[in-house]
Amino acid sequence: MEKFVPYGRQYIDGDDINEVIKVLRSDFITQGPRIDEFEAKLAEYCGSKYAVTFNSGTSALHGAYFALGLEEGQEMITSPNTFVATSNAALYLGAKPVFADVESETGNIDASKVEKKVTDKTRLITPVHYSGNPADLKELHEIVEKHGLAMIEDAAHAIGARYAGKRIGACQYSSMAILSFHPVKHITTGEGGAVLTNDEEYYERLLMFRSHGITKKDFVKPSDGDWYYEMHHLGYNYRITDIQATLGISQLKKLDGFVGRRREIAATYNEIFAENPYFNTVFEKEGCTSSYHLYPILLKDDYLDRKPEIFQKLRSEGLGVQVHYIPVHTQPYYQNHGYKDVSCPVAEDFYRREISIPMYPAMKDEDIQFVEEKLFKVFRDL
Ligand SMILES: *Cc1c(COP(=O)(O)O)cnc(C)c1O
C-alpha cells in the first residue's frame, strides 16, 4: 500500500520534545510544579475554577464519580454510544449504569429519553459529547434540576468545543467535566486525563482520591508532627507525571490551532459530501461548536448490509477508518451482568451505520483529497 491515512493521530513537534527533555533534566519528574501549571492552564483554557489531572481519562471518570459520592445502590444515566470507560467507572464504585438511547442525527444522548430512565435511585446523568459535538446540556440540566440529580460531562472528545457561548469544560450546566489526553484525542500526554470543576469541595475530594485518599490538612486525629498525614478514603495512585504535564502544557498552546484545522477539514468534508448517495454526516446544532474529535459518516439504508465489506475495502485502499461505538450494553461483560434485556434501538442502528473517517490536525489538503477519492471509489465499485 503506497499511502495510509489513519483515522486520528497525535501531533508532536520539536517544541514539545524540547520541553519534555528540559523536565527530564529538572528536579521533579513527578509531583512537581509542572502539574500545578498544567492544571492552572487547563482551567484557564476551559473557563473553570479548578482542574485536577489524572493518569487517564478513565481514572478521571472514576475520580469525578467518587468526588460526587456515587456509590453502591445508586444509578447513573449515560449514553450507550461511548467508549466503555464512561459506564465502567460507575461500576468500579458499585453503582449501576442505565443507558438512555441516542439521537440518530448526532449520536448524542437523547434528552427526551432521559427522564423516563430516572428512578428514586438515580444520582447522576453523564452525557458524552460524541465526536466533539456538544450534547443538549440545557435540556439535560432541566431534568437534573427537576429531580435533584447531578451532571458530569464526559468531554473526552470535546476540549475546544463550545456550547451556548462557553467552552465545554466551563461546567456551566454540570458539576464536573472530564477530559482525556490519549494520543487520538485533541491534545496528548501519552496517557492522561483531567477533571474540571467550579466546586471547591469536589476539587479537594479529587485531589485526595488521586493520591491514595491521603490528606495533609483537616485532620480528624491530633497531628504527631510535621511529617503527619491521614488517609480518609480508599484512594488510588492516579497521578500524572511532570513529564506528561509538561507535554500537556506545550500541547495546550497549540490546541486552538488543532481545533481550527479540524474544523477546516470538517467544513471541506461537509461540502464534498453534501447530498451524496451513499451516506449522511453529523451536523452541529444551533449554539454548538464541535471540536471534531471524529468525523462520522452514517451509511444510507442500501449500504447497511455491506458495512463489513465497505470497511475492509476502505482499509485496503489506505484509509484508516474506525467504528465508534459498539453500544456498551451489547458488550459480553454487560450482557453477562444484567443488561441482556436492555435495548437502545437508535444507538444500535447508529452503530450499524457509523464509520469514522480520517480526522486529525496534521492532515494536509492532499490527504483530504485522497480520502475523498478513495471513499467514493470504494462506494462506486461496490
Ligand atoms: C477516550 C475516552 C475515554 C477514556 O479516556 P482514556 O484516557 O483512554 O482513559 C472516556 N470516554 C470517552 C468518550 C473517550 O473517548
Side-chain angles (χ1 to χ4, degrees):
M1 197 188 307
E2 26 37 291
K3 185 174 164 116
F4 189 82
V5 183
Y7 90 89
R9 64 159 296 158
Q10 72 274 20
Y11 177 88
I12 289 180
D13 63 14
D15 290 338
D16 294 328
I17 293 166
N18 288 335
E19 288 299 314
V20 171
I21 291 171
K22 262 194 248 165
V23 79
L24 284 169
R25 296 190 201 281
S26 77
D27 290 340
F28 290 99
I29 57 170
T30 192
Q31 293 182 281
R34 304 311 295 272
I35 294 175
D36 293 341
E37 186 185 340
F38 185 34
E39 290 174 344
K41 287 186 169 154
L42 274 174
E44 188 193 342
Y45 181 88
C46 293
S48 65
K49 250 194 191 151
Y50 307 101
V52 179
T53 50
F54 280 79
N55 58 11
S56 71
T58 304
S59 55
L61 278 163
H62 192 188
Y65 295 163
F66 170 85
L68 184 75
L70 188 68
E71 61 186 22
E72 198 161 345
Q74 296 181 339
E75 296 176 357
M76 56 86 74
I77 300 171
T78 191
S79 168
N81 184 31
T82 184
F83 187 54
V84 293
T86 314
S87 51
N88 286 356
L91 292 175
Y92 299 162
L93 294 162
K96 182 182 167 199
V98 173
F99 296 102
D101 211 348
V102 301
E103 303 168 330
S104 58
E105 301 82 13
T106 63
N108 275 328
I109 196 165
D110 186 337
S112 74
K113 292 185 187 145
V114 168
E115 197 161 15
K116 290 185 211 88
K117 301 283 178 185
V118 175
T119 71
D120 54 4
K121 293 182 183 147
T122 311
R123 174 82 181 85
L124 167 69
I125 299 174
T126 300
V128 178
H129 304 300
Y130 172 78
S131 78
N133 198 15
D136 288 337
L137 295 176
K138 277 185 196 162
E139 287 79 357
L140 293 169
H141 182 69
E142 278 171 24
I143 300 167
V144 162
E145 289 287 287
K146 186 169 155 196
H147 296 277
L149 312 175
M151 171 149 61
I152 293 174
E153 299 165 71
D154 182 336
H157 297 184
I159 190 172
R162 285 176 186 273
Y163 179 86
K166 283 201 182 171
R167 283 225 167 94
I168 290 292
C171 301
Q172 59 177 327
Y173 295 103
S174 67
S175 298
M176 286 170 266
I178 76 96
L179 303 172
S180 164
F181 309 128
H182 183 277
V184 299
K185 307 289 163 66
H186 295 81
I187 59 170
T188 191
T189 60
E191 298 281 358
V195 183
L196 303 157
T197 187
N198 296 316
D199 185 302
E200 190 179 353
E201 196 182 319
Y202 294 146
Y203 172 67
E204 297 289 348
R205 280 174 67 84
L206 289 163
L207 290 177
M208 223 192 281
F209 188 72
R210 168 179 83 172
S211 217
H212 310 279
I214 283 174
T215 180
K216 296 207 164 191
K217 57 183 186 192
D218 301 327
F219 296 140
V220 296
K221 291 168 56 184
S223 167
D224 296 337
D226 286 350
W227 64 86
Y228 188 70
Y229 59 85
E230 285 182 348
M231 180 189 141
H232 289 177
H233 299 281
L234 187 58
Y236 294 77
N237 179 353
Y238 275 165
R239 295 185 301 262
I240 200 169
T241 64
D242 279 59
I243 307 167
Q244 293 168 297
T246 297
L247 181 55
I249 294 165
S250 183
Q251 288 264 299
L252 196 54
K253 289 182 195 156
K254 295 186 267 275
L255 177 57
D256 281 337
F258 289 166
V259 173
R261 180 58 182 157
R262 284 174 183 274
R263 293 188 54 77
E264 258 173 41
I265 296 165
T268 308
Y269 276 160
N270 288 346
E271 222 170 276
I272 296 170
F273 300 149
E275 288 168 46
N276 81 81
Y278 313 116
F279 55 82
N280 295 312
T281 57
V282 166
F283 289 96
E284 293 164 307
K285 288 188 183 173
E286 180 96 24
C288 293
T289 307
S290 175
S291 55
Y292 285 103
H293 163 55
L294 303 172
Y295 192 92
I297 64 169
L298 303 168
L299 299 179
K300 292 193 179 178
D301 290 348
D302 290 350
Y303 299 91
L304 270 184
D305 293 341
R306 304 182 76 176
K307 177 161 154 180
E309 179 190 349
I310 293 166
F311 187 89
Q312 184 266 321
K313 287 190 167 152
L314 290 170
R315 279 275 175 100
S316 55
E317 289 290 344
L319 299 191
V321 287
Q322 259 301 354
V323 171
H324 299 94
Y325 285 99
I326 302 170
V328 177
H329 62 281
T330 69
Q331 290 289 355
Y333 181 87
Y334 281 83
Q335 289 286 295
N336 294 333
H337 288 82
Y339 290 79
K340 274 220 168 67
D341 297 331
V342 173
S343 134
C344 296
V346 184
E348 289 157 27
D349 183 66
F350 194 92
Y351 166 57
R352 280 192 287 275
R353 294 176 192 275
E354 203 272 348
I355 298 175
S356 301
I357 65 169
M359 166 58 84
Y360 54 93
M363 266 184 99
K364 300 196 183 78
D365 289 348
E366 67 202 52
D367 298 325
I368 303 175
Q369 260 171 29
F370 180 81
V371 172
E372 174 187 7
E373 217 173 276
K374 298 294 184 182
L375 191 56
F376 283 137
K377 174 174 184 289
V378 165
F379 280 103
R380 257 195 325 265
D381 295 351
L382 276 176

